[in-house]
């Protein structure tokens, strides 16, 4: 089975990393919502942010309904790029080693273990979320 795995911050929205983060800068993104809806199979959020933060951002973007599950640092008690975080993610997402994944991430180091698991990795650079 194919799974779509998305980091959250700066992967699904494009805010300047130099400015102080403010939830009011996030607005509903219908274009992104439409793109996510067209992807076949299950989609997950896998973030180093907290579950509360992920829910708040996804609600502000109006895209939360696209995701099967949100797996955050406080739900697995560890951070990417640790391999342990990927193994815990797979367990919670019910993903097997045989399954295929496409991982979207804004940090190259966070893609290393995804690549070692045999998943397709996509590095998102600022302004490039339209790759989805």
């Amino acid at each position: 089975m194919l799974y779509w795995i998305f980091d959250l911050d700066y992967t699904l929205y494009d805010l300047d990393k130099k400015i102080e983060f403010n939830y009011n800068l996030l607005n509903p993104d219908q274009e992104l919502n439409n793109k996510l809806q067209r992807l076949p199979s299950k989609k997950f959020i896998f973030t180093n942010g907290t579950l509360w933060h992920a829910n708040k951002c996804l609600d502000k973007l109006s895209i939360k309904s696209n995701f099967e599950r949100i797996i955050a640092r406080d739900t697995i008690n560890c951070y990417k790029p640790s391999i342990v975080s990927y193994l815990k993610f797979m367990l919670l997402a019910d993903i097997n080693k045989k399954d295929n994944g496409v991982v979207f991430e804004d940090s190259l180091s966070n893609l290393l273990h995804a690549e070692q698991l045999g998943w397709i990795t996509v590095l998102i650079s600022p302004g490039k979320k339209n790759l989805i």
Side-chain angles (χ1 to χ4, degrees):
M1 180 166 241
L2 175 66
Y3 295 97
W4 303 91
I5 304 158
F6 294 89
D7 179 42
L8 177 62
D9 296 333
Y10 309 108
T11 299
L12 288 177
Y13 61 82
D14 190 22
L15 293 180
D16 187 344
K17 291 183 179 186
K18 296 174 189 152
I19 63 171
E20 184 176 336
F21 181 83
N22 181 337
Y23 292 103
N24 292 326
L25 296 175
L26 297 177
N27 297 303
D29 190 334
Q30 190 58 47
E31 180 183 359
L32 179 57
N33 190 51
N34 291 341
K35 289 177 179 182
L36 289 167
Q37 287 178 354
R38 287 193 297 265
L39 293 176
S41 196
K42 294 180 181 180
K43 296 169 276 297
F44 295 92
I45 294 291
F46 181 30
T47 180
N48 278 339
T50 65
L51 184 58
W52 183 90
H53 171 72
N55 277 306
K56 179 82 170 175
C57 290
L58 295 172
D59 285 339
K60 293 289 281 182
L61 293 166
S62 297
I63 60 172
K64 187 176 175 181
S65 64
N66 290 291
F67 298 98
E68 186 77 20
R69 186 158 188 190
I70 301 166
I71 299 171
R73 72 172 186 232
D74 52 347
T75 57
I76 58 174
N77 297 314
C78 60
Y79 294 85
K80 295 180 282 183
S82 165
I83 187 64
V84 173
S85 68
Y86 283 85
L87 297 174
K88 287 183 176 184
F89 166 80
M90 291 173 65
L91 183 65
L92 290 174
D94 196 26
I95 295 175
N96 298 309
K97 289 184 180 181
K98 302 181 291 185
D99 292 326
N100 295 311
V102 180
V103 182
F104 296 85
E105 171 70 62
D106 66 300
S107 169
L108 190 57
S109 63
N110 288 349
L111 289 173
L112 178 64
H113 291 300
E115 184 176 58
Q116 290 173 349
L117 290 166
W119 295 343
I120 296 168
T121 58
V122 181
L123 179 64
I124 301 294
S125 299
K128 302 295 183 189
K129 72 174 182 161
N130 59 354
L131 290 175
I132 302 170

